[in-house]
Amino acid sequence: MSQLKNVEARILQCLQNKFLARYVSLPNQNKIWTVTVSPEQKDRTPLVMVHGFGGGVGLWILNMDSLSARRTLHTFDLLGFGRSSRPTFPRDPEGAEDEFVTSIETWRETMGIPTMILLGHSLGGFLATSYSIKYPERRPGLVQRFRPDFKRKFADFFEDDTISEYIYHCNAQNPSGETAFKAMMESFGWARRPMLERIHLIRKDVPITMIYGANTWIDTSTGEKVKMQRPDSYVRDMEIEGASHHVYADQPHIFNAVVEEICNSVD
């Protein structure tokens, strides 16, 4: 964990905006590692970014400054990943998913965030959707991005192996969130409880935007299927050229502009 802490510090020192990094203690004694950027921006709905499988807060480094220019941005290591607590998760898919979602809501309550715009990548997008079903009163505007050459993607910031080291140390710990992910998934990453079969349960007034890299391996027809399931709701899907599954890192300037446009439509 100390090595992960040191590598992450090298990443976060690239931030230009004011930020606060700390543990947020939950009532059940678990701790969520949290980074808040531009905490002084209190007039707009905050953006909350949820990373994907095997990731952590550091992978948003190409996005945090830009997306916090006019609003507070929060990002955290999911329970069981990165520097957050690594508890034993339930072994059944519903229980594991609920453990993640409940931890996000408890984190939100502890942080004192009344409403938020939720942005999730891959596993983070899945959990953000599940969260919106379980806690519709939080009104999150929902932005999903459906997820190995990370060194090239972050070359403008790091010429060395900082990002590769960060990913390694995020995952070189006792399995926790990884075990929960396995419980939630079939082979090849297919969900045991597919979100497409439940997305109609999100409140109709919650807008959803799905952003894909044009070269992603994910089935991009999901967007059209979601539109069919939510005919009376705002659903937008779009592709970003020159990007793969990790669109936020492949085309950060385009991605940031799109997300900022979405956030500005909220307030």
Side-chain angles (χ1 to χ4, degrees):
M1 182 70 79
S2 62
Q3 291 173 301
L4 174 58
K5 177 181 177 181
N6 293 337
V7 177
E8 183 185 89
R10 300 208 305 267
I11 295 173
L12 295 181
Q13 71 180 4
C14 296
L15 287 173
Q16 300 298 308
N17 295 346
K18 179 180 178 181
F19 74 95
L20 175 65
R22 75 286 192 199
Y23 280 106
V24 174
S25 297
L26 307 185
N28 62 2
Q29 307 305 312
N30 284 327
K31 295 182 179 181
I32 302 295
W33 180 246
T34 302
V35 175
T36 298
V37 190
S38 299
E40 73 281 2
Q41 300 276 11
K42 301 182 183 298
D43 295 334
R44 297 188 174 206
T45 304
L47 173 64
V48 175
M49 305 178 78
V50 188
H51 66 80
F53 178 77
V57 298
L59 296 186
W60 299 116
I61 191 61
L62 302 181
N63 319 107
M64 288 193 275
D65 272 331
S66 178
L67 295 179
S68 64
R70 297 200 293 169
R71 71 182 66 241
T72 297
L73 180 153
H74 303 285
T75 183
F76 57 87
D77 288 346
L78 282 165
L79 186 68
F81 290 100
R83 295 177 63 184
S84 289
S85 296
R86 303 178 75 84
T88 300
F89 279 77
R91 295 286 181 170
D92 63 291
E94 185 172 0
E97 180 181 326
D98 188 65
E99 185 88 1
F100 278 126
V101 170
T102 299
S103 72
I104 295 173
E105 171 62 4
T106 307
W107 172 86
R108 183 206 63 79
E109 290 179 335
T110 305
M111 289 285 290
I113 301 172
T115 58
M116 57 189 171
I117 301 168
L118 266 180
L119 185 157
H121 173 249
S122 196
L123 171 62
F126 182 93
L127 295 175
T129 307
S130 180
Y131 177 92
S132 299
I133 293 172
K134 186 171 182 179
Y135 300 103
E137 68 279 7
R138 301 296 164 233
R139 298 293 298 276
L142 193 60
V143 186
Q144 295 188 71
R145 284 156 321 105
F146 295 99
R147 237 180 105 125
D149 184 8
F150 270 79
K151 185 174 181 179
R152 176 183 56 79
K153 299 178 194 297
F154 293 86
D156 288 347
F157 276 66
F158 308 102
E159 296 180 355
D160 58 11
D161 294 325
T162 294
I163 291 296
S164 300
E165 289 179 37
Y166 177 72
I167 295 172
Y168 171 78
H169 290 298
C170 276
N171 293 278
Q173 303 180 63
N174 291 331
S176 173
E178 299 86 352
T179 302
F181 178 83
K182 183 178 180 180
M184 292 164 55
M185 299 297 159
E186 302 278 7
S187 58
F188 305 110
W190 295 104
R192 294 179 187 271
R193 303 178 68 237
M195 192 54 66
L196 190 60
E197 297 176 4
R198 296 182 275 155
I199 203 160
H200 66 281
L201 298 174
I202 296 178
R203 240 166 52 174
K204 289 184 178 181
D205 59 345
V206 175
I208 299 175
T209 300
M210 286 167 284
I211 305 172
Y212 302 90
N215 302 322
T216 184
W217 53 269
I218 292 291
D219 178 8
T220 57
S221 68
T222 300
E224 292 301 319
K225 294 173 183 176
V226 172
K227 290 178 184 178
M228 293 176 63
Q229 294 216 28
R230 296 175 61 81
D232 301 320
S233 301
Y234 179 89
V235 178
R236 176 188 180 193
D237 66 322
M238 62 178 299
E239 292 185 359
I240 294 181
E241 292 296 328
S244 65
H245 184 50
H246 295 274
V247 58
Y248 62 93
D250 285 323
Q251 294 288 353
H253 299 297
I254 299 174
F255 172 78
N256 292 343
V258 169
V259 174
E260 186 172 5
E261 174 197 336
I262 295 167
C263 290
N264 288 341
S265 72
V266 175
D267 58 12

